[in-house]
């Protein structure tokens, strides 16, 4: 994922929090916590102008990683016929089949579904960081292709 901590949409996050059952005063607290945030840079005794933050989860806070996880928690629902594993902002998609052509077809379908999830959640993939690994297993040989 590309800059997920910085680009998480507050409205999408609040919608997800509501779907997870966070409502009432706790929901209002999160809404207040995310809204009207400000930032500035201080370097070598010089300060930048104060800017408003309208997206992203607060970094350096205890809640930042938790809010990020809640934001991406439903990514596995985008692809029902594959395993999705997350580590921080890295996303791994695992597929297997006895037929290599079937795996390619399923991978393309999964990537289309994940693309729709990324669009719906207003996130983007870091295309320069993508890697595909194919393990072909036979009775005696395991090969890896990049």
């Amino acid at each position: 994922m590309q800059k997920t901590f910085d680009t998480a949409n507050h409205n999408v996050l609040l919608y997800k929090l509501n779907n997870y059952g966070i409502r009432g005063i706790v929901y209002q607290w999160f809404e207040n916590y995310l809204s009207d945030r400000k930032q500035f840079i201080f370097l070598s005794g010089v300060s930048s102008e104060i800017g408003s933050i309208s997206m992203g989860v607060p970094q350096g806070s205890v809640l930042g990683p938790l809010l990020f996880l809640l934001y991406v928690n439903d990514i596995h629902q985008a692809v029902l016929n594959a395993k999705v594993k997350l580590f921080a902002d890295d996303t791994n998609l695992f597929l297997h089949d006895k037929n290599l052509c079937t795996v390619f077809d399923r991978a393309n379908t999964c990537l289309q579904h994940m693309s729709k999830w990324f669009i719906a959640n207003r996130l983007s993939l870091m295309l320069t960081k993508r890697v595909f690994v194919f393990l072909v297993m036979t009775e005696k040989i395991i090969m890896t292709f990049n």
Side-chain angles (χ1 to χ4, degrees):
M1 296 181 212
Q2 185 171 343
K3 298 185 178 189
T4 309
F5 269 86
D6 297 328
T7 60
N9 182 283
H10 290 170
N11 291 329
V12 172
L13 178 57
L14 290 168
Y15 176 81
K16 289 182 180 213
L17 290 173
N18 186 60
N19 279 345
Y20 290 134
I22 297 172
R23 296 184 181 93
I25 196 159
V26 176
Y27 177 87
Q28 291 171 355
W29 185 87
F30 276 108
E31 190 175 37
N32 184 275
Y33 179 72
L34 292 169
S35 66
D36 235 7
R37 297 188 73 81
K38 308 283 186 209
Q39 73 178 9
F40 71 96
I41 297 171
F42 182 80
L43 180 65
S44 300
V46 179
S47 296
S48 70
E49 296 208 14
I50 295 175
S52 296
I53 301 173
S54 60
M55 54 188 356
V57 294
Q59 295 183 45
S61 68
V62 174
L63 286 177
L66 175 65
L67 292 173
F68 167 78
L69 289 174
L70 290 171
Y71 198 91
V72 298
N73 187 51
D74 61 348
I75 193 170
H76 69 281
Q77 293 175 351
V79 286
L80 301 176
N81 59 345
K83 295 275 186 199
V84 178
K85 300 289 182 184
L86 298 173
F87 181 77
D89 62 351
D90 288 330
T91 308
N92 295 288
L93 183 62
F94 293 92
L95 300 145
H96 64 87
D97 198 281
K98 292 179 182 178
N99 184 310
L100 193 57
C101 290
T102 303
V103 171
F104 282 126
D105 289 343
R106 285 180 52 211
N108 282 324
T109 300
C110 288
L111 290 173
Q112 289 171 353
H113 288 256
M114 286 189 75
S115 176
K116 289 177 184 175
W117 183 90
F118 276 93
I119 291 168
N121 287 279
R122 299 179 185 173
L123 295 175
S124 58
L125 287 172
M126 186 179 293
L127 296 176
T128 58
K129 197 176 158 186
R130 71 188 184 284
V131 175
F132 299 94
V133 176
F134 296 98
L135 298 175
V136 179
M137 299 175 62
T138 64
E139 290 180 13
K140 298 180 182 179
I141 301 172
I142 298 177
M143 299 181 295
T144 304
F145 302 93
N146 281 335

